[in-house]
Amino acid sequence: MLLSDLLYKVPLLATAGSMNAEVTHLTMDSRNVAPGTLFVAVRGTVVDGHSFIPKAIAQGATVILCEEMPAEAPADVTFVQVANAPRAMGFVAANFYGNPSKKIKLVGVTGTNGKTSVATLLFRLFRGLGYRCGLLSTVQNQIDDTVLPATHTTPDAISANELLVKMRQAGCTHVFMEVSSHAVVQERIAGLHFAGGIFTNITHDHLDFHGTFDNYIKAKKGFFDQLPRSAFALTNADDKRGAVMLQNTLARKESYSLQTLGTFKGKILSDGLFGLEMTIDDRQVWFKLIGRFNAYNLLAVYGAAVLLGEDEEEILTQLSAVTPPSGRFEQVISADKVVGIVDYAHTPDALQNVLETIQNLRQNNEEGYFPQIITVVGCGGNRDAAKRPIMAQIATKLSDRVILTSDNPRFEDPMTILEQMQAGVSPVNARKTRTIEERREAIRAAVALAKPHDIILVAGKGHETYQDIQGTKHDFDDRQVLREAFQNR
Ligand code: ADP
């Protein structure tokens, strides 16, 4: 493709060399440069891509897209200087791949919690409605029935466009995508044409990256600021920051709510361990999902589907059959009615949410027995150590019995991690807490402790199917282990 065509709509600061250069390949990685390549020099947090420009030229790069012109530039290479290279790359990538996002309905989901859930529920709903769909999420990238491994929450602009082309080729009409705040700040969604954007909620998270809560809010809002006039912007009216998200968007402003006024209104009629009964726009429906937070997710999904032009009745019929996303409050139930819940909660905030949800849902059974909560939880190695005592404290505060165990110890000694967790257990809670290093044994012990109707929460891994020990990923699936333990009960 001609460089001048690739730069359509890209604001330029300066150029040197021929604008008629023929570009056959785009990359940000100097190791992938070959003749015909446009190399984008991106300033990362660790390395600055500008330092790789000489290497890219030595490997035959045809065009260099950069923020700073080098002192010496060979005449046979074209240099294009822009103010923001990652942003420019978004538009160049979209032009290079023929703007696939304009040929499908692309819907992005942002927020602190619920991105995977909402994107996955939309994907499942639209498949149920008879469409071919794509999904770009942390759990998996999926083109119709084909699952591809996911790397980032949101892929970079080049791989996003590549994936969208593949999705179009597979006949997908709709693509649902998680949009993290990192992706917005790093311009990984630049140049993508969204048909709609959804906001779930915002709480303190990722402040290590964004610095302040205000910056984090701005990052999420940046997604809505970029939406085109033709898109919808659907926000959570019950979230304190819901309205802020839509302040400056050109898109059509819509909202959903359980508490106040909104375009899409829902009400919870009953909320139990076996599902949610709700009214949505005055229609009464049962859903297989659990917990108040899922009532919000379902409302967001319903609203987005209506805004995408689907029939209300049809949406609710299909949505009532949809199962929860993999490893998000996923249930495994024993023959004698012990309820196992596998959830990805691996942060203090998520663990607290899940345990509070379980606490609110448990009720006396027919014989007047009040179910106990037994939690199996661990913390990863070579990751944030500060959360270890906090997670153990939350687990012991909100459960009747706790088993501390390993969760991807990686290169750390599992017992050291467990000792750091134990430090968060108060002396009074120590009596209900045990430590079993081997995760399989820990789950078996929880099953042995449980009486019928008790609830076992196995937290941290969710959809993961491995245990990372010393860099080796050993097969391990909490759901499978729980099922086996139930069978041997
Ligand atoms: P994300 O992709 O934004 O990290 P997930 O859908 O993976 O969110 O959910 C992360 C955790 O938060 C899970 O423990 C899940 O049970 C819980 N969760 C899901 N949706 C919501 C929501 N709307 N509000 C609060 N918590 C949620």
Side-chain angles (χ1 to χ4, degrees), residues 454-469:
D454 280 348
I455 302 160
I456 301 175
L457 170 69
V458 184
K461 284 203 172 297
H463 60 284
E464 281 179 8
T465 50
Y466 59 82
Q467 179 82 299
D468 185 340
I469 303 170

Side-chain angles (χ1 to χ4, degrees), residues 322-335:
V322 166
T323 49
S326 185
R328 265 69 181 171
F329 227 101
E330 198 174 331
Q331 294 200 10
V332 180
I333 297 169
S334 76

Side-chain angles (χ1 to χ4, degrees), residues 111-117 138 178 201 293 296-297 328-329 343-345 350 353-354:
T112 307
N113 288 309
K115 294 181 294 296
T116 306
S117 301
T138 27
E178 279 183 44
N201 50 57
F293 65 85
Y296 278 103
N297 294 343
R328 265 69 181 171
F329 227 101
D343 194 274
Y344 189 46
N353 264 340
V354 172

